[in-house]
């Protein structure tokens, strides 16, 4: 099985660390799982203009194909103005309507205030559902204060436990979809 993580932040490391932590937790649970992190900072995704995918640059094409080839996915975003990033939304605009059919789609978010924890449930979750993704019950919201200010590593053990539970649930659900042990 291949698990692809997408970090939707164009600035800072916290979201990439959070997504990478889910990938590492999944690999810890099952070392046979192939993992890949797509950090949108590393790609120049063109602005979606309603054109066929072939009309866009190589980065846009490659990222969409990596997402489509994944067995299951985890998406991460910082919360800006009570929403996901424009960069992540733009990426979603390049995907076909059934992009996540038969795929588990986990969610993690980082934010400055506790007021934004519901963005995962009510905003990002609705987008993943639109694409027919199966959304686990365990999503993870991480306050910026839970990261070490110098290394951007997650310091809170409870957050790391929740990340482990998310990874475990994602693996179980995806195995069920694929009828694998």
């Amino acid at each position: 099985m291949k698990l692809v993580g997408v970090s939707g932040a164009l600035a800072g490391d916290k979201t990439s660390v959070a997504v990478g932590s889910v990938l590492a937790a999944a690999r810890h649970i099952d070392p046979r799982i192939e993992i890949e992190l797509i950090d949108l900072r590393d790609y120049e995704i063109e602005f979606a203009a309603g054109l066929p995918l072939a009309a866009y640059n190589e980065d846009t094409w490659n990222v969409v194909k990596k997402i489509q080839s994944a067995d299951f996915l985890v998406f991460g975003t910082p919360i800006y103005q009570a929403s996901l990033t424009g960069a992540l939304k733009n990426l979603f605009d390049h995907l076909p309507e059934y992009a996540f059919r038969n795929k588990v789609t986990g969610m993690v978010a980082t934010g400055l205030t506790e007021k934004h924890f519901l963005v995962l449930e009510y905003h990002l979750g609705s987008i993943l559902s639109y694409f027919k993704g199966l959304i686990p019950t365990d999503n993870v919201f991480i306050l910026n204060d839970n990261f070490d200010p110098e290394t951007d590593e997650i310091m809170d053990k409870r957050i790391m436990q929740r990340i482990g539970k998310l990874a475990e649930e994602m693996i179980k659900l995806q195995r069920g979809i694929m009828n694998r042990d």
Side-chain angles (χ1 to χ4, degrees):
M1 288 192 311
K2 182 173 183 180
L3 172 59
V4 170
V6 178
S7 173
L10 295 182
D13 292 324
K14 291 175 181 67
T15 302
S16 182
V17 167
V19 174
S21 296
V22 176
L23 298 177
R27 195 79 181 276
H28 179 75
I29 293 165
D30 184 348
R32 300 171 296 174
I33 293 175
E34 183 183 343
I35 59 171
E36 181 174 1
L37 174 63
I38 298 171
D39 191 330
L40 293 187
R41 296 178 297 180
D42 298 334
Y43 298 91
E44 292 191 27
I45 308 297
E46 289 187 283
F47 187 76
L51 302 171
L53 186 58
Y56 294 98
N57 68 17
E58 189 174 343
D59 274 357
T60 304
W61 175 266
N62 285 336
V63 168
V64 169
K65 291 302 175 188
K66 287 179 183 191
I67 288 170
Q68 289 180 314
S69 70
D71 292 308
F72 59 137
L73 301 121
V74 59
F75 292 94
T77 184
I79 306 301
Y80 298 145
Q81 308 298 345
S83 185
L84 60 143
T85 64
L88 185 57
K89 175 60 171 82
N90 181 59
L91 175 60
F92 288 144
D93 289 343
H94 287 286
L95 299 174
E97 182 179 352
Y98 298 99
F100 305 146
R101 181 181 295 282
N102 297 322
K103 296 181 184 192
V104 173
T105 52
M107 303 180 289
V108 296
T110 58
L112 187 61
T113 173
E114 292 175 354
K115 295 177 183 177
H116 295 308
F117 79 97
L118 289 175
V119 171
L120 289 173
E121 291 289 328
Y122 294 112
H123 191 42
L124 182 54
S126 64
I127 294 169
L128 299 179
S129 290
Y130 170 80
F131 288 110
K132 310 304 182 235
L134 176 63
I135 301 169
T137 56
D138 290 320
N139 61 61
V140 181
F141 179 79
I142 310 167
L143 285 170
N144 289 351
D145 289 344
N146 293 127
F147 289 88
D148 183 291
E150 294 188 22
T151 65
D152 277 336
E153 293 300 314
I154 299 169
M155 298 181 307
D156 191 319
K157 291 184 190 316
R158 292 173 299 168
I159 296 291
M160 292 306 294
Q161 289 170 342
R162 291 183 58 216
I163 285 172
K165 286 181 180 182
L166 171 61
E168 183 178 356
E169 182 181 7
M170 289 177 64
I171 292 167
K172 285 181 180 178
L173 289 170
Q174 193 61 45
R175 283 181 179 152
I177 290 171
M178 300 171 78
N179 293 316
R180 292 187 182 169
D181 292 329

